[in-house]
Amino acid sequence: MTTPQRTAIPDSVRTNGATPNPWWANAVVYQIYPRSFQDTNGDGFGDLKGITSRLGYLADLGVDVLWLSPVYKSPQDDNGYDISDYRDIDPLFGTLADMDELIAKAHERGIKIVMDLVVNHTSDEHAWFQASRNPDDPHADWYWWRPARPGKTPGTPGAEPNEWGSYFGGSAWQYDPERGEYYLHQFSKKQPDLNWENPDVRRAVYDMMNWWLDRGVDGFRMDVITLISKRVDANGKLPGEDGSLIPDLPVGEEGYSNPNPFCADGPRQDEFLAEMRREVFDGRDGFMTVGEAPGISPARNEHITDPANGELDMLFLFEHVDFDCDGVKWKPRPLDLPALKRIMADYQHAVKDRGWTALFDGNHDQPRVVSRWGDDSTEESRVASAKALALTLHMHRGTPYVYQGEELGMTNAHFTSLAQYRDLESLNAYRQRVEEARVQSAESMMAGLAARSRDNARTPMQWDDSRYAGFTAPDAPAEPWIAVNPNRTSINAAAEVHDPDSVFAFYKRLIALRHENPVVAAGDWTPLAPDDPQVYAFARSLDDGDGAHRLLTVVNLSKEPADLPADVVALLPSKGHSPESPLAVDRVVIATGSDAEAVTALASGHLVPWQGFVVRL
């Protein structure tokens, strides 16, 4: 176990309701997408040695935890989220020895390592699945196998057990001629869902998790972990199956029904997570668990992350990154700031008394936030809006997650051709929506991909302005697996790490502030001006036994000048510049511009575009 190199929150301050306070209560997590982070052997793919080589950069940024997207052995159908061997490293990324070295070197710097855990499904090339294709094998019931619909020819359209669609397009059922049945896959057909109803499946998963913790990792980020409990009727039939007592939902515009209401947060979800906690984590110290939680409400987040219930430490909720579209992600809409504020308020209020929340705007599945909700049209607006968005997120209560390159203000890829994309979801969605179901025009779909494709976050990390952005050598024998963003010449780490006005420098200050100030990490959160269409404002407060401490956060999240909302003005003392006034420069805790500009904004009542600051009240 490694000890983070920062001040712990005193136990006189309540965080998630546990005693003592968990070490991660004022931590910041940095997500690494290994294939796009750093290539050391010139094959065009990032690797574990590359991550180890950049630990100095990550330590300088100040992060406490590295979350690695999957590096297990995999056919790479979904970039490693289709695992064929949980106890080995894919040669694309290196070896187990490389992983051991990364863990050891990170621990020397006080940085913890959290691995991605993908156990809702495996690869169809996993030994468990291959064995399950034989109905007489002990693994026969390790996946969701079902016969063809009665009266239909197996393997033909309409013979699927029900009408569920895959999140990656097409049917959620794939026929296997060897077994003569269909298997369920909520994602790619090469990602069959594990049957968590089978205790042997759960035991095998827990054994594997213990193996990794014994090897030195510090916890897991659990991919779609809230999909592991499916809803079945009294006879074990899924909704919509022949003879099922549970009716399916209507078919949607693409020709399939939605499995999510029957697979997300199922009836045994709490039971499975509590069992995992007992079998894997009880008796261990220094670990962290975070679950990717599609279908989970803020109220359920409170229950699952309440330490008294012994499930998970925190969850990723998705309403705030799912709402800004017309029904499907490929039809994006401009940001509705009051709607975003309502969602974030629900997240914050749900864990006011117990439990915890994970804070994020971007990850490997989301577009770059500065292109999504900011303004990347000019260098000035990109830097300003990247800082404004970072300040807004990091001043909430919870544990912030920084996705690689976010700290540089990296932007969307702005691809213009379908041939430039690599993402399975994006390519399948284009085929399904444009070519097969014909529910979206090619022009509209290309615009949707440019705005929301997962590949926007997966272009190589921009280390410098060289040909391949320092991700791999300029004369490497292989080009990067996906194109480098041309704006590497102006957006890169080499240009930012020593620039005190850079996005990188601003992230360093935000991270240090969370480490040093318990109000930021654990203080109460009170929204202000919830209906203001431009300004995001809230107050933080904490009584730590030595008195009350209050912080005011104000951010103009728009391209236009904005007035200070009345709710904010009401909190300010009469205007003046005494040392006791928040209008004094020494009351400014952090600002996207200069402290003097923040004071001017408070005194005048006007904010310039993308201006934000935090002041002590």
Side-chain angles (χ1 to χ4, degrees):
M1 181 180 77
T2 186
T3 302
Q5 298 172 349
R6 55 179 163 74
T7 304
I9 297 179
D11 288 337
S12 59
V13 175
R14 187 199 73 79
T15 59
N16 70 329
T19 302
N21 282 318
W23 63 266
W24 40 258
N26 64 343
V28 177
V29 183
Y30 188 94
Q31 183 191 356
I32 290 177
Y33 198 65
R35 66 167 46 214
S36 298
F37 193 65
Q38 181 68 70
D39 173 23
T40 61
N41 61 8
D43 67 354
F45 297 90
D47 45 53
L48 291 172
K49 286 185 177 295
I51 299 171
T52 302
S53 74
R54 295 294 186 177
L55 287 174
Y57 169 87
L58 297 163
D60 181 41
L61 181 60
V63 296
D64 308 283
V65 182
L66 303 183
W67 152 29
L68 308 185
S69 285
V71 292
Y72 313 94
K73 193 170 183 180
S74 166
Q76 302 296 323
D77 181 62
D78 186 26
N79 288 7
Y81 283 87
D82 49 314
I83 298 169
S84 58
D85 189 343
Y86 288 105
R87 301 196 189 201
D88 201 2
I89 299 297
D90 195 280
L92 191 69
F93 302 117
T95 65
L96 276 170
D98 294 336
M99 186 67 192
D100 292 339
E101 180 186 29
L102 172 59
I103 294 169
K105 294 294 186 183
H107 285 179
E108 288 175 7
R109 294 181 178 271
I111 298 174
K112 292 177 178 281
I113 298 291
V114 165
M115 293 186 74
D116 226 310
L117 182 75
V118 189
V119 289
N120 172 72
H121 48 265
T122 69
S123 166
D124 64 346
E125 297 183 32
H126 196 290
W128 298 344
F129 181 79
Q130 290 299 311
S132 79
R133 299 172 74 192
N134 179 353
D136 297 322
D137 190 276
H139 294 81
D141 192 35
W142 281 42
Y143 296 82
W144 290 87
W145 290 100
R146 291 292 188 271
R149 189 171 288 274
K152 301 288 186 178
T153 303
T156 63
E160 295 85 1
N162 66 16
E163 295 183 297
W164 284 358
S166 161
Y167 303 125
F168 284 178
S171 173
W173 295 96
Q174 180 67 23
Y175 181 66
D176 179 57
E178 180 174 325
R179 175 150 171 162
E181 291 186 312
Y182 289 85
Y183 62 85
L184 174 67
H185 61 92
Q186 292 184 74
F187 298 92
S188 163
K189 66 182 181 181
K190 289 186 67 62
Q191 292 171 299
D193 277 44
L194 281 165
N195 178 13
W196 274 68
E197 298 293 319
N198 187 329
D200 291 337
V201 170
R202 303 198 303 274
R203 190 173 303 110
V205 168
Y206 304 153
D207 286 348
M208 174 268 295
M209 294 172 70
N210 276 301
W211 185 83
W212 276 110
L213 289 171
D214 291 344
R215 203 172 186 100
V217 303
D218 301 290
F220 299 98
R221 175 268 186 185
M222 304 180 186
D223 186 68
V224 295
I225 197 64
T226 53
L227 301 184
I228 59 176
S229 174
K230 278 66 168 175
R231 205 168 302 278
V232 295
D233 70 6
N235 300 311
K237 290 183 177 291
L238 292 165
E241 276 194 82
D242 183 64
S244 175
L245 301 176
I246 305 175
D248 199 358
L249 294 176
V251 168
E253 65 176 1
E254 295 180 15
Y256 301 96
S257 61
N258 181 11
N260 187 264
F262 306 112
C263 296
D265 200 19
R268 301 186 70 186
Q269 185 73 52
D270 291 323
E271 175 191 345
F272 292 159
L273 292 178
E275 180 184 68
M276 177 190 290
R277 189 79 167 206
R278 293 192 303 271
E279 296 297 320
V280 179
F281 298 104
D282 277 2
R284 297 184 186 270
D285 295 315
F287 63 85
M288 185 187 87
T289 61
V290 55
E292 185 186 29
I296 296 294
S297 67
R300 285 287 290 136
N301 177 69
E302 177 192 39
H303 178 90
I304 292 171
T305 64
D306 181 348
N309 295 324
E311 296 187 35
L312 298 177
D313 295 329
M314 62 192 91
L315 296 177
F316 293 137
L317 303 187
F318 289 96
E319 187 180 356
H320 72 295
V321 290
D322 287 342
F323 81 103
D324 55 342
C325 61
D326 258 334
V328 294
K329 69 184 286 185
W330 313 114
K331 293 182 177 181
R333 295 187 307 212
L335 174 64
D336 178 345
L337 186 59
L340 176 64
K341 288 191 280 188
R342 286 192 292 272
I343 294 167
M344 296 299 288
D346 286 345
Y347 291 177
Q348 293 285 295
H349 291 323
V351 293
K352 182 178 185 296
D353 298 318
R354 58 186 181 273
W356 202 245
T357 191
L359 306 170
F360 74 99
D361 285 333
N363 60 31
H364 64 291
D365 286 335
Q366 300 296 328
R368 293 289 183 179
V369 68
V370 72
S371 299
R372 181 180 196 166
W373 292 335
D375 181 1
D376 65 2
S377 62
T378 70
E379 179 64 7
E380 181 181 12
S381 64
R382 179 191 68 83
V383 171
S385 60
K387 291 180 180 180
L389 289 161
L391 182 66
T392 304
L393 183 76
H394 282 247
M395 287 305 297
H396 282 78
R397 185 173 184 271
T399 296
Y401 287 70
V402 178
Y403 179 70
Q404 65 180 47
E406 184 180 302
E407 77 282 6
L408 303 177
M410 281 180 61
T411 72
N412 277 359
H414 299 302
F415 289 152
T416 57
S417 165
L418 193 63
Q420 293 174 288
Y421 290 94
R422 301 291 179 267
D423 176 38
L424 180 70
E425 179 196 38
S426 299
L427 297 174
N428 284 355
Y430 185 93
R431 184 185 68 248
Q432 177 73 27
R433 296 185 63 78
V434 176
E435 299 174 351
E436 296 179 5
R438 298 184 180 180
V439 294
Q440 194 165 349
S441 70
E443 181 181 37
S444 170
M445 190 66 190
M446 288 303 297
L449 291 175
R452 296 295 168 85
S453 171
R454 302 191 301 179
D455 277 342
N456 283 306
R458 300 177 179 187
T459 57
M461 180 72 173
Q462 292 165 211
W463 296 106
D464 59 39
D465 63 359
S466 63
R467 180 184 181 190
Y468 297 133
F471 164 71
T472 194
D475 58 351
E479 294 185 349
W481 70 277
I482 191 171
V484 174
N485 196 317
N487 63 23
R488 72 188 186 284
T489 55
S490 58
I491 306 172
N492 61 74
E496 294 196 32
V497 292
H498 299 301
D499 179 358
D501 295 323
S502 67
V503 178
F504 178 86
F506 191 73
Y507 268 81
K508 282 187 66 172
R509 293 175 62 197
L510 281 173
I511 292 168
L513 185 61
R514 179 166 295 269
H515 289 165
E516 298 161 3
N517 193 325
V519 184
V520 176
D524 290 339
W525 182 92
T526 304
L528 301 169
D531 297 322
D532 191 293
Q534 292 178 271
V535 178
Y536 199 140
F538 49 88
R540 304 292 307 280
S541 60
L542 178 68
D543 189 339
D544 61 2
D546 294 325
H549 307 272
R550 298 177 71 201
L551 298 176
L552 170 65
T553 298
V554 183
V555 189
N556 179 6
L557 286 182
S558 78
K559 302 177 183 179
E560 304 297 331
D563 294 330
L564 281 181
D567 287 9
V568 172
V569 174
L571 288 179
L572 302 175
S574 58
K575 291 184 179 180
H577 295 278
S578 68
E580 292 76 32
S581 168
L583 302 181
V585 170
D586 64 0
R587 289 282 184 170
V588 179
V589 176
I590 189 171
T592 55
S594 71
D595 292 355
E597 289 169 340
V599 169
T600 298
L602 285 168
S604 68
H606 301 292
L607 302 164
V608 300
W610 306 114
Q611 183 176 20
F613 46 79
V614 179
V615 294
R616 286 182 288 115
L617 294 176

